[in-house]
Amino acid sequence: MYATMQEHLRESVFKTALFHFLKNSKKSPERTARNIEELLNKFSTSPCECRMKYDELLQLIKTSSMEECISYIMDKIS
């Protein structure tokens, strides 16, 4: 149970950080992509985990809504 609660908390913190990064992403999509890439590196649980790269993140930010970005990133890391 403790592990489940810890994982839920970790996911909530990650989603909140994504939300704040993406809130103003249209002003500076490049900076947002760098920040999210760094966040993904910090939150990764294993070195072989599929991580999104800067170019992929930048394209996603430029072409998708904030909700779509969050959903896509959360699906990708799950």
Side-chain angles (χ1 to χ4, degrees), residues 21 32-43 57:
F21 284 145
T32 301
R34 283 192 306 270
N35 289 340
I36 292 174
E37 183 179 35
E38 186 177 320
L39 180 70
L40 287 167
N41 289 333
K42 287 182 180 181
F43 268 79
L57 288 165

Side-chain angles (χ1 to χ4, degrees), residues 24-55:
N24 295 317
S25 64
K26 299 305 174 197
K27 291 180 186 175
S28 180
E30 293 83 8
R31 181 175 52 188
T32 301
R34 283 192 306 270
N35 289 340
I36 292 174
E37 183 179 35
E38 186 177 320
L39 180 70
L40 287 167
N41 289 333
K42 287 182 180 181
F43 268 79
S44 73
T45 55
S46 68
C48 63
E49 185 176 318
C50 182
R51 290 192 206 129
M52 298 177 71
K53 300 295 179 202
Y54 172 81
D55 294 331

Side-chain angles (χ1 to χ4, degrees), residues 10-11 13 24 29 43-44 50-51 56 58 64 67 69:
R10 180 179 168 86
E11 182 179 315
V13 168
N24 295 317
F43 268 79
S44 73
C50 182
R51 290 192 206 129
E56 183 181 4
L58 184 59
S64 304
E67 293 81 12
C69 289

